[in-house]
Amino acid sequence: MSINEKLRCSQNDELFTAILTLENTEECYAFFEDICTINELKALSQRLQVAKMLRAGDSYEKIVEETGASTATISRVKRCLVYGADGYTLALDRLGAK
């Protein structure tokens, strides 16, 4: 897996290590409520849903209608699915998404 080296730093390593210690959805809610705004979390969730729908072959129109995502967000997620570090693919595979 190719990770953008601009992301790598000890603080990010500690953040991801902390996230990996969380044991369930409730713990994730508690942690993310402390580290980001509701809108930031909703944006992350929206992007994952967009990735799932793109992978399933849904049209931009359907994705906009169901998620409220802008076409710019959809295009960005699509670029990540095609050219990114495979993070969406890995997560969606593990979630059992199409």
Side-chain angles (χ1 to χ4, degrees), residues 27-62:
E27 288 184 1
C28 288
Y29 272 109
F31 184 74
F32 280 90
E33 185 175 356
D34 287 347
I35 67 167
C36 66
T37 67
I38 292 169
N39 286 337
E40 289 167 337
L41 184 56
K42 286 182 177 184
L44 293 171
S45 301
Q46 180 189 63
R47 290 179 192 134
L48 182 61
Q49 185 63 28
V50 167
K52 182 178 177 181
M53 293 179 76
L54 283 169
R55 214 165 103 158
D58 291 327
S59 68
Y60 272 43
E61 292 80 15
K62 182 176 180 180

PDB file of all heavy atoms in Angstrom, residues 27-62:
ATOM      1  N   GLU A  27     -17.469   3.545  21.366  1.00  0.00           N
ATOM      2  CA  GLU A  27     -16.175   4.144  21.695  1.00  0.00           C
ATOM      3  C   GLU A  27     -15.704   5.063  20.578  1.00  0.00           C
ATOM      4  O   GLU A  27     -15.117   6.113  20.827  1.00  0.00           O
ATOM      5  CB  GLU A  27     -15.135   3.059  21.978  1.00  0.00           C
ATOM      6  CG  GLU A  27     -15.353   2.353  23.293  1.00  0.00           C
ATOM      7  CD  GLU A  27     -14.269   1.348  23.612  1.00  0.00           C
ATOM      8  OE1 GLU A  27     -13.306   1.188  22.831  1.00  0.00           O
ATOM      9  OE2 GLU A  27     -14.387   0.693  24.674  1.00  0.00           O
ATOM     10  N   CYS A  28     -15.983   4.678  19.333  1.00  0.00           N
ATOM     11  CA  CYS A  28     -15.616   5.531  18.196  1.00  0.00           C
ATOM     12  C   CYS A  28     -16.389   6.846  18.244  1.00  0.00           C
ATOM     13  O   CYS A  28     -15.821   7.915  18.032  1.00  0.00           O
ATOM     14  CB  CYS A  28     -15.869   4.814  16.880  1.00  0.00           C
ATOM     15  SG  CYS A  28     -14.704   3.490  16.537  1.00  0.00           S
ATOM     16  N   TYR A  29     -17.695   6.771  18.525  1.00  0.00           N
ATOM     17  CA  TYR A  29     -18.484   7.996  18.653  1.00  0.00           C
ATOM     18  C   TYR A  29     -17.898   8.908  19.719  1.00  0.00           C
ATOM     19  O   TYR A  29     -17.736  10.108  19.507  1.00  0.00           O
ATOM     20  CB  TYR A  29     -19.947   7.686  18.995  1.00  0.00           C
ATOM     21  CG  TYR A  29     -20.832   7.453  17.805  1.00  0.00           C
ATOM     22  CD1 TYR A  29     -21.310   6.184  17.510  1.00  0.00           C
ATOM     23  CD2 TYR A  29     -21.212   8.511  16.986  1.00  0.00           C
ATOM     24  CE1 TYR A  29     -22.139   5.967  16.420  1.00  0.00           C
ATOM     25  CE2 TYR A  29     -22.040   8.304  15.891  1.00  0.00           C
ATOM     26  CZ  TYR A  29     -22.499   7.028  15.617  1.00  0.00           C
ATOM     27  OH  TYR A  29     -23.313   6.832  14.538  1.00  0.00           O
ATOM     28  N   ALA A  30     -17.582   8.352  20.881  1.00  0.00           N
ATOM     29  CA  ALA A  30     -17.045   9.165  21.973  1.00  0.00           C
ATOM     30  C   ALA A  30     -15.725   9.817  21.580  1.00  0.00           C
ATOM     31  O   ALA A  30     -15.496  11.002  21.838  1.00  0.00           O
ATOM     32  CB  ALA A  30     -16.860   8.299  23.225  1.00  0.00           C
ATOM     33  N   PHE A  31     -14.862   9.053  20.938  1.00  0.00           N
ATOM     34  CA  PHE A  31     -13.559   9.581  20.542  1.00  0.00           C
ATOM     35  C   PHE A  31     -13.706  10.672  19.486  1.00  0.00           C
ATOM     36  O   PHE A  31     -13.161  11.772  19.625  1.00  0.00           O
ATOM     37  CB  PHE A  31     -12.672   8.441  20.026  1.00  0.00           C
ATOM     38  CG  PHE A  31     -11.272   8.864  19.674  1.00  0.00           C
ATOM     39  CD1 PHE A  31     -10.341   9.156  20.665  1.00  0.00           C
ATOM     40  CD2 PHE A  31     -10.877   8.965  18.355  1.00  0.00           C
ATOM     41  CE1 PHE A  31      -9.044   9.547  20.342  1.00  0.00           C
ATOM     42  CE2 PHE A  31      -9.581   9.354  18.017  1.00  0.00           C
ATOM     43  CZ  PHE A  31      -8.667   9.640  19.024  1.00  0.00           C
ATOM     44  N   PHE A  32     -14.457  10.381  18.433  1.00  0.00           N
ATOM     45  CA  PHE A  32     -14.589  11.350  17.353  1.00  0.00           C
ATOM     46  C   PHE A  32     -15.365  12.589  17.778  1.00  0.00           C
ATOM     47  O   PHE A  32     -15.120  13.677  17.269  1.00  0.00           O
ATOM     48  CB  PHE A  32     -15.191  10.700  16.105  1.00  0.00           C
ATOM     49  CG  PHE A  32     -14.185   9.925  15.316  1.00  0.00           C
ATOM     50  CD1 PHE A  32     -13.971   8.582  15.575  1.00  0.00           C
ATOM     51  CD2 PHE A  32     -13.416  10.538  14.348  1.00  0.00           C
ATOM     52  CE1 PHE A  32     -13.019   7.864  14.864  1.00  0.00           C
ATOM     53  CE2 PHE A  32     -12.457   9.838  13.632  1.00  0.00           C
ATOM     54  CZ  PHE A  32     -12.264   8.493  13.900  1.00  0.00           C
ATOM     55  N   GLU A  33     -16.278  12.449  18.724  1.00  0.00           N
ATOM     56  CA  GLU A  33     -16.986  13.619  19.230  1.00  0.00           C
ATOM     57  C   GLU A  33     -16.007  14.588  19.887  1.00  0.00           C
ATOM     58  O   GLU A  33     -16.192  15.808  19.830  1.00  0.00           O
ATOM     59  CB  GLU A  33     -18.045  13.194  20.246  1.00  0.00           C
ATOM     60  CG  GLU A  33     -18.908  14.338  20.723  1.00  0.00           C
ATOM     61  CD  GLU A  33     -20.036  13.897  21.637  1.00  0.00           C
ATOM     62  OE1 GLU A  33     -20.212  12.687  21.852  1.00  0.00           O
ATOM     63  OE2 GLU A  33     -20.737  14.786  22.133  1.00  0.00           O
ATOM     64  N   ASP A  34     -14.962  14.053  20.479  1.00  0.00           N
ATOM     65  CA  ASP A  34     -13.958  14.892  21.119  1.00  0.00           C
ATOM     66  C   ASP A  34     -12.949  15.489  20.142  1.00  0.00           C
ATOM     67  O   ASP A  34     -12.388  16.548  20.411  1.00  0.00           O
ATOM     68  CB  ASP A  34     -13.181  14.090  22.176  1.00  0.00           C
ATOM     69  CG  ASP A  34     -13.988  13.815  23.416  1.00  0.00           C
ATOM     70  OD1 ASP A  34     -15.057  14.434  23.596  1.00  0.00           O
ATOM     71  OD2 ASP A  34     -13.550  12.964  24.216  1.00  0.00           O
ATOM     72  N   ILE A  35     -12.686  14.822  19.022  1.00  0.00           N
ATOM     73  CA  ILE A  35     -11.593  15.294  18.155  1.00  0.00           C
ATOM     74  C   ILE A  35     -12.042  16.022  16.899  1.00  0.00           C
ATOM     75  O   ILE A  35     -11.216  16.613  16.217  1.00  0.00           O
ATOM     76  CB  ILE A  35     -10.630  14.153  17.763  1.00  0.00           C
ATOM     77  CG1 ILE A  35     -11.293  13.124  16.856  1.00  0.00           C
ATOM     78  CG2 ILE A  35     -10.038  13.497  18.990  1.00  0.00           C
ATOM     79  CD1 ILE A  35     -10.306  12.166  16.215  1.00  0.00           C
ATOM     80  N   CYS A  36     -13.329  15.974  16.568  1.00  0.00           N
ATOM     81  CA  CYS A  36     -13.764  16.697  15.365  1.00  0.00           C
ATOM     82  C   CYS A  36     -15.185  17.204  15.545  1.00  0.00           C
ATOM     83  O   CYS A  36     -15.887  16.793  16.459  1.00  0.00           O
ATOM     84  CB  CYS A  36     -13.636  15.823  14.124  1.00  0.00           C
ATOM     85  SG  CYS A  36     -14.711  14.384  14.065  1.00  0.00           S
ATOM     86  N   THR A  37     -15.580  18.080  14.642  1.00  0.00           N
ATOM     87  CA  THR A  37     -16.938  18.613  14.687  1.00  0.00           C
ATOM     88  C   THR A  37     -17.910  17.599  14.087  1.00  0.00           C
ATOM     89  O   THR A  37     -17.511  16.673  13.365  1.00  0.00           O
ATOM     90  CB  THR A  37     -17.051  19.924  13.892  1.00  0.00           C
ATOM     91  OG1 THR A  37     -16.856  19.641  12.500  1.00  0.00           O
ATOM     92  CG2 THR A  37     -16.040  20.961  14.371  1.00  0.00           C
ATOM     93  N   ILE A  38     -19.170  17.805  14.369  1.00  0.00           N
ATOM     94  CA  ILE A  38     -20.209  16.941  13.802  1.00  0.00           C
ATOM     95  C   ILE A  38     -20.153  16.997  12.278  1.00  0.00           C
ATOM     96  O   ILE A  38     -20.244  15.972  11.597  1.00  0.00           O
ATOM     97  CB  ILE A  38     -21.598  17.347  14.321  1.00  0.00           C
ATOM     98  CG1 ILE A  38     -21.688  17.033  15.819  1.00  0.00           C
ATOM     99  CG2 ILE A  38     -22.712  16.663  13.552  1.00  0.00           C
ATOM    100  CD1 ILE A  38     -22.898  17.620  16.506  1.00  0.00           C
ATOM    101  N   ASN A  39     -19.973  18.188  11.717  1.00  0.00           N
ATOM    102  CA  ASN A  39     -19.934  18.326  10.255  1.00  0.00           C
ATOM    103  C   ASN A  39     -18.725  17.632   9.644  1.00  0.00           C
ATOM    104  O   ASN A  39     -18.819  17.062   8.557  1.00  0.00           O
ATOM    105  CB  ASN A  39     -19.977  19.792   9.848  1.00  0.00           C
ATOM    106  CG  ASN A  39     -21.355  20.389  10.040  1.00  0.00           C
ATOM    107  OD1 ASN A  39     -22.356  19.680  10.075  1.00  0.00           O
ATOM    108  ND2 ASN A  39     -21.422  21.701  10.181  1.00  0.00           N
ATOM    109  N   GLU A  40     -17.585  17.674  10.331  1.00  0.00           N
ATOM    110  CA  GLU A  40     -16.402  16.960   9.825  1.00  0.00           C
ATOM    111  C   GLU A  40     -16.652  15.458   9.809  1.00  0.00           C
ATOM    112  O   GLU A  40     -16.308  14.774   8.835  1.00  0.00           O
ATOM    113  CB  GLU A  40     -15.179  17.286  10.681  1.00  0.00           C
ATOM    114  CG  GLU A  40     -14.661  18.698  10.489  1.00  0.00           C
ATOM    115  CD  GLU A  40     -13.653  19.122  11.538  1.00  0.00           C
ATOM    116  OE1 GLU A  40     -13.639  18.563  12.651  1.00  0.00           O
ATOM    117  OE2 GLU A  40     -12.860  20.039  11.223  1.00  0.00           O
ATOM    118  N   LEU A  41     -17.255  14.944  10.845  1.00  0.00           N
ATOM    119  CA  LEU A  41     -17.548  13.513  10.902  1.00  0.00           C
ATOM    120  C   LEU A  41     -18.575  13.124   9.844  1.00  0.00           C
ATOM    121  O   LEU A  41     -18.428  12.105   9.161  1.00  0.00           O
ATOM    122  CB  LEU A  41     -18.039  13.123  12.294  1.00  0.00           C
ATOM    123  CG  LEU A  41     -18.300  11.641  12.516  1.00  0.00           C
ATOM    124  CD1 LEU A  41     -17.069  10.801  12.197  1.00  0.00           C
ATOM    125  CD2 LEU A  41     -18.763  11.395  13.936  1.00  0.00           C
ATOM    126  N   LYS A  42     -19.596  13.952   9.676  1.00  0.00           N
ATOM    127  CA  LYS A  42     -20.605  13.675   8.648  1.00  0.00           C
ATOM    128  C   LYS A  42     -19.986  13.684   7.255  1.00  0.00           C
ATOM    129  O   LYS A  42     -20.350  12.881   6.398  1.00  0.00           O
ATOM    130  CB  LYS A  42     -21.761  14.669   8.733  1.00  0.00           C
ATOM    131  CG  LYS A  42     -22.670  14.398   9.909  1.00  0.00           C
ATOM    132  CD  LYS A  42     -23.839  15.362   9.931  1.00  0.00           C
ATOM    133  CE  LYS A  42     -24.772  15.022  11.076  1.00  0.00           C
ATOM    134  NZ  LYS A  42     -25.960  15.876  11.088  1.00  0.00           N
ATOM    135  N   ALA A  43     -19.032  14.581   7.011  1.00  0.00           N
ATOM    136  CA  ALA A  43     -18.355  14.633   5.707  1.00  0.00           C
ATOM    137  C   ALA A  43     -17.565  13.353   5.461  1.00  0.00           C
ATOM    138  O   ALA A  43     -17.571  12.811   4.350  1.00  0.00           O
ATOM    139  CB  ALA A  43     -17.449  15.854   5.625  1.00  0.00           C
ATOM    140  N   LEU A  44     -16.884  12.861   6.487  1.00  0.00           N
ATOM    141  CA  LEU A  44     -16.140  11.603   6.347  1.00  0.00           C
ATOM    142  C   LEU A  44     -17.094  10.448   6.046  1.00  0.00           C
ATOM    143  O   LEU A  44     -16.827   9.613   5.169  1.00  0.00           O
ATOM    144  CB  LEU A  44     -15.340  11.306   7.620  1.00  0.00           C
ATOM    145  CG  LEU A  44     -14.193  12.246   7.943  1.00  0.00           C
ATOM    146  CD1 LEU A  44     -13.654  11.958   9.346  1.00  0.00           C
ATOM    147  CD2 LEU A  44     -13.097  12.130   6.909  1.00  0.00           C
ATOM    148  N   SER A  45     -18.199  10.399   6.770  1.00  0.00           N
ATOM    149  CA  SER A  45     -19.186   9.341   6.559  1.00  0.00           C
ATOM    150  C   SER A  45     -19.788   9.415   5.160  1.00  0.00           C
ATOM    151  O   SER A  45     -19.989   8.398   4.498  1.00  0.00           O
ATOM    152  CB  SER A  45     -20.309   9.452   7.601  1.00  0.00           C
ATOM    153  OG  SER A  45     -19.799   9.341   8.888  1.00  0.00           O
ATOM    154  N   GLN A  46     -20.062  10.645   4.711  1.00  0.00           N
ATOM    155  CA  GLN A  46     -20.628  10.853   3.386  1.00  0.00           C
ATOM    156  C   GLN A  46     -19.671  10.332   2.314  1.00  0.00           C
ATOM    157  O   GLN A  46     -20.083   9.657   1.376  1.00  0.00           O
ATOM    158  CB  GLN A  46     -20.918  12.336   3.170  1.00  0.00           C
ATOM    159  CG  GLN A  46     -21.504  12.671   1.816  1.00  0.00           C
ATOM    160  CD  GLN A  46     -21.568  14.167   1.604  1.00  0.00           C
ATOM    161  OE1 GLN A  46     -20.541  14.837   1.569  1.00  0.00           O
ATOM    162  NE2 GLN A  46     -22.782  14.696   1.465  1.00  0.00           N
ATOM    163  N   ARG A  47     -18.382  10.618   2.464  1.00  0.00           N
ATOM    164  CA  ARG A  47     -17.401  10.173   1.468  1.00  0.00           C
ATOM    165  C   ARG A  47     -17.324   8.657   1.397  1.00  0.00           C
ATOM    166  O   ARG A  47     -17.186   8.090   0.311  1.00  0.00           O
ATOM    167  CB  ARG A  47     -16.035  10.775   1.768  1.00  0.00           C
ATOM    168  CG  ARG A  47     -15.988  12.258   1.507  1.00  0.00           C
ATOM    169  CD  ARG A  47     -14.633  12.831   1.839  1.00  0.00           C
ATOM    170  NE  ARG A  47     -14.708  14.277   1.853  1.00  0.00           N
ATOM    171  CZ  ARG A  47     -14.191  15.045   2.785  1.00  0.00           C
ATOM    172  NH1 ARG A  47     -13.504  14.513   3.781  1.00  0.00           N
ATOM    173  NH2 ARG A  47     -14.320  16.344   2.729  1.00  0.00           N
ATOM    174  N   LEU A  48     -17.420   7.995   2.532  1.00  0.00           N
ATOM    175  CA  LEU A  48     -17.407   6.531   2.517  1.00  0.00           C
ATOM    176  C   LEU A  48     -18.640   5.996   1.796  1.00  0.00           C
ATOM    177  O   LEU A  48     -18.544   5.063   0.994  1.00  0.00           O
ATOM    178  CB  LEU A  48     -17.328   5.977   3.941  1.00  0.00           C
ATOM    179  CG  LEU A  48     -17.266   4.453   4.037  1.00  0.00           C
ATOM    180  CD1 LEU A  48     -16.027   3.907   3.328  1.00  0.00           C
ATOM    181  CD2 LEU A  48     -17.290   4.015   5.495  1.00  0.00           C
ATOM    182  N   GLN A  49     -19.804   6.599   2.039  1.00  0.00           N
ATOM    183  CA  GLN A  49     -21.028   6.182   1.349  1.00  0.00           C
ATOM    184  C   GLN A  49     -20.913   6.430  -0.149  1.00  0.00           C
ATOM    185  O   GLN A  49     -21.326   5.609  -0.960  1.00  0.00           O
ATOM    186  CB  GLN A  49     -22.247   6.909   1.924  1.00  0.00           C
ATOM    187  CG  GLN A  49     -23.567   6.455   1.343  1.00  0.00           C
ATOM    188  CD  GLN A  49     -23.887   4.999   1.637  1.00  0.00           C
ATOM    189  OE1 GLN A  49     -23.444   4.449   2.634  1.00  0.00           O
ATOM    190  NE2 GLN A  49     -24.648   4.368   0.769  1.00  0.00           N
ATOM    191  N   VAL A  50     -20.332   7.568  -0.528  1.00  0.00           N
ATOM    192  CA  VAL A  50     -20.119   7.872  -1.945  1.00  0.00           C
ATOM    193  C   VAL A  50     -19.216   6.811  -2.575  1.00  0.00           C
ATOM    194  O   VAL A  50     -19.508   6.302  -3.666  1.00  0.00           O
ATOM    195  CB  VAL A  50     -19.520   9.286  -2.130  1.00  0.00           C
ATOM    196  CG1 VAL A  50     -19.007   9.498  -3.553  1.00  0.00           C
ATOM    197  CG2 VAL A  50     -20.554  10.350  -1.775  1.00  0.00           C
ATOM    198  N   ALA A  51     -18.149   6.447  -1.890  1.00  0.00           N
ATOM    199  CA  ALA A  51     -17.236   5.419  -2.413  1.00  0.00           C
ATOM    200  C   ALA A  51     -17.968   4.104  -2.607  1.00  0.00           C
ATOM    201  O   ALA A  51     -17.802   3.430  -3.635  1.00  0.00           O
ATOM    202  CB  ALA A  51     -16.051   5.230  -1.471  1.00  0.00           C
ATOM    203  N   LYS A  52     -18.798   3.741  -1.650  1.00  0.00           N
ATOM    204  CA  LYS A  52     -19.571   2.497  -1.740  1.00  0.00           C
ATOM    205  C   LYS A  52     -20.493   2.527  -2.957  1.00  0.00           C
ATOM    206  O   LYS A  52     -20.578   1.557  -3.715  1.00  0.00           O
ATOM    207  CB  LYS A  52     -20.369   2.312  -0.452  1.00  0.00           C
ATOM    208  CG  LYS A  52     -21.169   1.051  -0.393  1.00  0.00           C
ATOM    209  CD  LYS A  52     -21.888   0.961   0.948  1.00  0.00           C
ATOM    210  CE  LYS A  52     -22.761  -0.266   1.023  1.00  0.00           C
ATOM    211  NZ  LYS A  52     -23.479  -0.354   2.305  1.00  0.00           N
ATOM    212  N   MET A  53     -21.169   3.654  -3.148  1.00  0.00           N
ATOM    213  CA  MET A  53     -22.105   3.764  -4.265  1.00  0.00           C
ATOM    214  C   MET A  53     -21.386   3.809  -5.604  1.00  0.00           C
ATOM    215  O   MET A  53     -21.861   3.208  -6.585  1.00  0.00           O
ATOM    216  CB  MET A  53     -23.001   4.990  -4.069  1.00  0.00           C
ATOM    217  CG  MET A  53     -23.934   4.847  -2.867  1.00  0.00           C
ATOM    218  SD  MET A  53     -24.970   6.293  -2.601  1.00  0.00           S
ATOM    219  CE  MET A  53     -26.174   6.038  -3.916  1.00  0.00           C
ATOM    220  N   LEU A  54     -20.248   4.507  -5.675  1.00  0.00           N
ATOM    221  CA  LEU A  54     -19.471   4.516  -6.918  1.00  0.00           C
ATOM    222  C   LEU A  54     -19.018   3.107  -7.279  1.00  0.00           C
ATOM    223  O   LEU A  54     -19.095   2.692  -8.438  1.00  0.00           O
ATOM    224  CB  LEU A  54     -18.254   5.429  -6.783  1.00  0.00           C
ATOM    225  CG  LEU A  54     -18.503   6.924  -6.886  1.00  0.00           C
ATOM    226  CD1 LEU A  54     -17.263   7.697  -6.462  1.00  0.00           C
ATOM    227  CD2 LEU A  54     -18.919   7.302  -8.310  1.00  0.00           C
ATOM    228  N   ARG A  55     -18.553   2.393  -6.286  1.00  0.00           N
ATOM    229  CA  ARG A  55     -18.083   1.030  -6.530  1.00  0.00           C
ATOM    230  C   ARG A  55     -19.211   0.117  -7.002  1.00  0.00           C
ATOM    231  O   ARG A  55     -18.984  -0.805  -7.776  1.00  0.00           O
ATOM    232  CB  ARG A  55     -17.456   0.477  -5.259  1.00  0.00           C
ATOM    233  CG  ARG A  55     -16.309  -0.439  -5.564  1.00  0.00           C
ATOM    234  CD  ARG A  55     -15.501  -0.689  -4.355  1.00  0.00           C
ATOM    235  NE  ARG A  55     -15.825  -1.995  -3.849  1.00  0.00           N
ATOM    236  CZ  ARG A  55     -15.044  -2.705  -3.070  1.00  0.00           C
ATOM    237  NH1 ARG A  55     -13.899  -2.218  -2.668  1.00  0.00           N
ATOM    238  NH2 ARG A  55     -15.383  -3.871  -2.658  1.00  0.00           N
ATOM    239  N   ALA A  56     -20.421   0.408  -6.561  1.00  0.00           N
ATOM    240  CA  ALA A  56     -21.584  -0.372  -6.986  1.00  0.00           C
ATOM    241  C   ALA A  56     -22.078   0.042  -8.370  1.00  0.00           C
ATOM    242  O   ALA A  56     -22.995  -0.568  -8.915  1.00  0.00           O
ATOM    243  CB  ALA A  56     -22.709  -0.225  -5.963  1.00  0.00           C
ATOM    244  N   GLY A  57     -21.465   1.116  -8.928  1.00  0.00           N
ATOM    245  CA  GLY A  57     -21.841   1.559 -10.271  1.00  0.00           C
ATOM    246  C   GLY A  57     -22.966   2.566 -10.322  1.00  0.00           C
ATOM    247  O   GLY A  57     -23.509   2.834 -11.389  1.00  0.00           O
ATOM    248  N   ASP A  58     -23.314   3.145  -9.183  1.00  0.00           N
ATOM    249  CA  ASP A  58     -24.394   4.135  -9.170  1.00  0.00           C
ATOM    250  C   ASP A  58     -23.980   5.412  -9.890  1.00  0.00           C
ATOM    251  O   ASP A  58     -22.803   5.775  -9.910  1.00  0.00           O
ATOM    252  CB  ASP A  58     -24.795   4.467  -7.725  1.00  0.00           C
ATOM    253  CG  ASP A  58     -25.487   3.299  -7.039  1.00  0.00           C
ATOM    254  OD1 ASP A  58     -26.192   2.537  -7.722  1.00  0.00           O
ATOM    255  OD2 ASP A  58     -25.312   3.156  -5.817  1.00  0.00           O
ATOM    256  N   SER A  59     -24.956   6.089 -10.470  1.00  0.00           N
ATOM    257  CA  SER A  59     -24.712   7.334 -11.206  1.00  0.00           C
ATOM    258  C   SER A  59     -24.486   8.492 -10.239  1.00  0.00           C
ATOM    259  O   SER A  59     -24.889   8.449  -9.074  1.00  0.00           O
ATOM    260  CB  SER A  59     -25.914   7.664 -12.095  1.00  0.00           C
ATOM    261  OG  SER A  59     -27.036   8.009 -11.284  1.00  0.00           O
ATOM    262  N   TYR A  60     -23.834   9.535 -10.764  1.00  0.00           N
ATOM    263  CA  TYR A  60     -23.646  10.749  -9.966  1.00  0.00           C
ATOM    264  C   TYR A  60     -24.999  11.262  -9.474  1.00  0.00           C
ATOM    265  O   TYR A  60     -25.130  11.678  -8.333  1.00  0.00           O
ATOM    266  CB  TYR A  60     -22.953  11.833 -10.798  1.00  0.00           C
ATOM    267  CG  TYR A  60     -21.454  11.811 -10.785  1.00  0.00           C
ATOM    268  CD1 TYR A  60     -20.737  10.623 -10.890  1.00  0.00           C
ATOM    269  CD2 TYR A  60     -20.737  12.988 -10.692  1.00  0.00           C
ATOM    270  CE1 TYR A  60     -19.344  10.624 -10.892  1.00  0.00           C
ATOM    271  CE2 TYR A  60     -19.343  12.995 -10.701  1.00  0.00           C
ATOM    272  CZ  TYR A  60     -18.666  11.807 -10.799  1.00  0.00           C
ATOM    273  OH  TYR A  60     -17.285  11.807 -10.799  1.00  0.00           O
ATOM    274  N   GLU A  61     -26.003  11.244 -10.340  1.00  0.00           N
ATOM    275  CA  GLU A  61     -27.317  11.760  -9.982  1.00  0.00           C
ATOM    276  C   GLU A  61     -27.894  11.015  -8.784  1.00  0.00           C
ATOM    277  O   GLU A  61     -28.422  11.629  -7.848  1.00  0.00           O
ATOM    278  CB  GLU A  61     -28.279  11.674 -11.180  1.00  0.00           C
ATOM    279  CG  GLU A  61     -27.920  12.597 -12.325  1.00  0.00           C
ATOM    280  CD  GLU A  61     -26.790  12.057 -13.217  1.00  0.00           C
ATOM    281  OE1 GLU A  61     -26.459  10.842 -13.147  1.00  0.00           O
ATOM    282  OE2 GLU A  61     -26.207  12.863 -13.960  1.00  0.00           O
ATOM    283  N   LYS A  62     -27.808   9.695  -8.803  1.00  0.00           N
ATOM    284  CA  LYS A  62     -28.333   8.903  -7.693  1.00  0.00           C
ATOM    285  C   LYS A  62     -27.541   9.176  -6.413  1.00  0.00           C
ATOM    286  O   LYS A  62     -28.115   9.277  -5.327  1.00  0.00           O
ATOM    287  CB  LYS A  62     -28.282   7.414  -8.027  1.00  0.00           C
ATOM    288  CG  LYS A  62     -28.860   6.545  -6.933  1.00  0.00           C
ATOM    289  CD  LYS A  62     -28.894   5.078  -7.321  1.00  0.00           C
ATOM    290  CE  LYS A  62     -29.489   4.268  -6.166  1.00  0.00           C
ATOM    291  NZ  LYS A  62     -29.544   2.854  -6.476  1.00  0.00           N
TER     292      LYS A  62
END
